[in-house]
Amino acid sequence: MSDKKKDELGYTPKTRKVADAEEEAAGLSSAIFDVIDLRAKTSKSGPSVARCGGKDEVKFYKINHAWSLWGVPVKDMKQAMSRLKEDLPQKGWKIIKYGPDKSPSKSPELIADSTKKQYSVSIHLYDESDKTGSKAPKSLIYVLLTSACFQVPDGHTVDEY
C-alpha cells in the first residue's frame, strides 16, 4: 500500500469483509450491553456501513453502531456508567475520557478505545429527570460504537454488502 494512503489516515486500513466487521461490531456492542447490565428498553438498530472520510467510497468503509437504552431509574444508569468505567478495561478497552461532557447539562460521558479491535465507543448518560410533561425527553444511555477505516478485499466493493 502506498505511503499516501497511510498518511491520509495516519494508519493503513486493514482488509476486512464488511459482514465480518458488522458481526464484530454487534459482538462488541453486546459485550458493552452486558456490562451495563440493566433491564431496560433498547433501540433496535444494528451496525451500519458508513463512509470513511475522504477515502474511495467503493473500497473503504467504517462501521457505526448507535443504540440507546431507557426506562430505568437514572440512579441505576449512573451505576451502569461506573460499571463501564471499571469493567471495560478488563475487556480490552482503554478509557480515554470519563466525566462530564462539554454540553450545558454536563452529561456523564465515557470514551474508550480498543486498539486491538480498532473500535472506539462513546457512551453518554442523558439525565432528563428534571424535565416534566408528556413531551419531556426520556433519560437514557446513548452508545455510539465506531470502527477505524477498513478496506474491502481485492475484487470486492463496499456496495456488494
Side-chain angles (χ1 to χ4, degrees), residues 18-30 43-50 61-67 119 143-147 150 161:
V18 173
D20 292 345
E22 287 177 321
E23 184 178 327
E24 183 172 54
L28 290 169
S29 281
S30 180
S43 57
K44 302 291 184 205
S45 66
S48 62
V49 177
Y61 68 96
K62 64 182 176 178
I63 300 295
N64 289 328
H65 189 194
W67 53 276
Y119 284 82
V143 178
L144 175 59
L145 181 75
T146 303
S147 75
F150 298 125
Y161 300 93

Side-chain angles (χ1 to χ4, degrees), residues 8-141:
E8 291 171 7
L9 296 171
Y11 61 92
T12 301
K14 288 185 177 179
T15 299
R16 304 205 47 206
K17 293 180 181 176
V18 173
D20 292 345
E22 287 177 321
E23 184 178 327
E24 183 172 54
L28 290 169
S29 281
S30 180
I32 291 166
F33 181 80
D34 290 347
V35 172
I36 291 172
D37 193 27
L38 294 175
R39 291 181 184 245
K41 296 176 183 176
T42 59
S43 57
K44 302 291 184 205
S45 66
S48 62
V49 177
R51 293 182 178 165
C52 201
K55 300 292 286 174
D56 182 347
E57 295 175 19
V58 174
K59 295 180 181 181
F60 297 93
Y61 68 96
K62 64 182 176 178
I63 300 295
N64 289 328
H65 189 194
W67 53 276
S68 57
L69 59 89
W70 66 93
V72 296
V74 171
K75 70 175 183 60
D76 293 347
M77 292 183 192
K78 288 179 179 178
Q79 290 171 348
M81 293 294 287
S82 293
R83 266 193 307 281
L84 287 162
K85 180 185 178 212
E86 297 301 317
D87 293 357
L88 285 181
Q90 298 167 28
K91 297 185 179 301
W93 293 91
K94 179 181 179 185
I95 305 297
I96 304 301
K97 180 180 186 238
Y98 182 78
D101 67 12
K102 294 180 182 179
S103 71
S105 63
K106 304 291 185 209
S107 297
E109 171 185 47
L110 181 145
I111 298 173
D113 289 340
S114 173
T115 53
K116 182 178 180 184
K117 302 267 184 183
Q118 293 192 305
Y119 284 82
S120 291
V121 66
S122 173
I123 305 170
H124 290 261
L125 167 56
Y126 296 107
D127 181 354
E128 303 294 343
S129 58
D130 62 339
K131 310 272 191 312
T132 58
S134 62
K135 294 186 180 185
K138 297 174 184 162
S139 296
L140 58 83
I141 292 176

